Amino acid sequence: IFSAQPHVKDAMNKKLRRWEHEGWVGVRHREVLRCVAAELKARTAPTLFKVAEPGTLARKECRKAAKAAKRAARTPGPRAWDMTVPAGTALPGLSLQGNCQKIFYRGIREEKDKKLTSRASTTNKLNTIREATRETFRREVTDAEIWNSLLTKDFLPRTSQFLWKCVHNAHKVGSYWTHIPDCEDRATCSACGELEDVEHILVNCESPGRRIVWEAAKTL
């Protein structure tokens, strides 16, 4: 099987066995990779991944496959994929033999994280970001991609913290004040009279100060 990416070849040829031994702990896209591992086990002959060299027919076919995958990813609307691993083709759980304490700890953390319930306000913000990304860039993004984008080195730490709070609706504005006695008036915008949130403050507020700030930002 040919791939244009060397890291795909290394992952398929060298890492699948270790990932399965470690119970797929900490592996991104594990659902897809587990299906790939199951399909490889179901083959009667040994399977080897190779890098498609530039200029070869295999490289052209890889390019066609990549374009088809991108078109599918950009197609709006929900998509359901069968990620069921056939019985007898995958080892269940994490092997007790040969794994270090770090792997067990990460596995426990992942299981605990599955039981966490998401905040409604955070879910709404993530959906808003997803919709805006779809309309602007015609691209679907996952929650993990959104969170990881906040950690880019292009942002200062305080900027990342500000954006993280925006997604979690954790800034002390708007509805935050409605639950504090004698502070309810702080929840509404003094210029517009509307319930404040970060989006209103940065984008929708009619206050002259907001427009002045954005005009100044254009000159940077």
Side-chain angles (χ1 to χ4, degrees), residues 53-119:
E53 299 297 336
T56 62
L57 178 61
R59 189 61 170 254
K60 294 180 180 179
E61 294 299 323
C62 288
R63 193 177 296 113
K64 290 181 181 179
K67 290 181 179 179
K70 288 181 179 179
R71 285 196 300 270
R74 292 170 180 169
T75 303
R79 294 180 297 276
W81 304 97
D82 184 9
M83 293 296 178
T84 304
V85 178
T89 59
L91 295 176
L94 195 158
S95 176
L96 293 175
Q97 184 178 4
N99 279 316
C100 62
Q101 182 178 355
K102 178 181 178 181
I103 295 297
F104 289 109
Y105 177 77
R106 292 183 66 180
I108 293 171
R109 288 301 314 167
E110 287 184 357
E111 289 301 317
K112 287 186 175 181
D113 289 344
K114 292 178 182 178
K115 300 178 182 179
L116 296 177
T117 56
S118 58
R119 300 172 62 201

Side-chain angles (χ1 to χ4, degrees), residues 91-161:
L91 295 176
L94 195 158
S95 176
L96 293 175
Q97 184 178 4
N99 279 316
C100 62
Q101 182 178 355
K102 178 181 178 181
I103 295 297
F104 289 109
Y105 177 77
R106 292 183 66 180
I108 293 171
R109 288 301 314 167
E110 287 184 357
E111 289 301 317
K112 287 186 175 181
D113 289 344
K114 292 178 182 178
K115 300 178 182 179
L116 296 177
T117 56
S118 58
R119 300 172 62 201
S121 58
T122 302
T123 301
N124 292 336
K125 290 293 184 182
L126 290 172
N127 290 335
T128 301
I129 294 171
R130 238 188 312 275
E131 182 65 26
T133 304
R134 186 184 302 117
E135 292 180 359
T136 305
F137 302 104
R138 296 183 180 180
R139 180 175 180 269
E140 298 289 338
V141 293
T142 63
D143 289 353
E145 289 175 320
I146 294 173
W147 292 120
N148 288 333
S149 69
L150 304 183
L151 303 177
T152 176
K153 295 181 180 179
D154 295 331
F155 294 149
L156 293 173
R158 60 175 177 268
T159 304
S160 295
Q161 293 170 9

Side-chain angles (χ1 to χ4, degrees), residues 1-3 8-20 24 31-50 84-86 88-90:
I1 299 177
F2 287 96
S3 172
V8 174
K9 180 206 71 171
D10 293 337
M12 296 296 102
N13 290 342
K14 301 177 182 179
K15 297 180 180 179
L16 277 184
R17 188 182 299 274
R18 174 169 61 84
W19 285 341
E20 187 174 39
W24 304 94
E31 294 81 7
V32 176
L33 291 172
R34 288 188 68 183
C35 292
V36 172
E39 290 292 337
L40 293 177
K41 286 184 177 182
R43 295 170 68 97
T44 56
T47 304
L48 182 66
F49 283 77
K50 294 183 178 181
T84 304
V85 178
T89 59

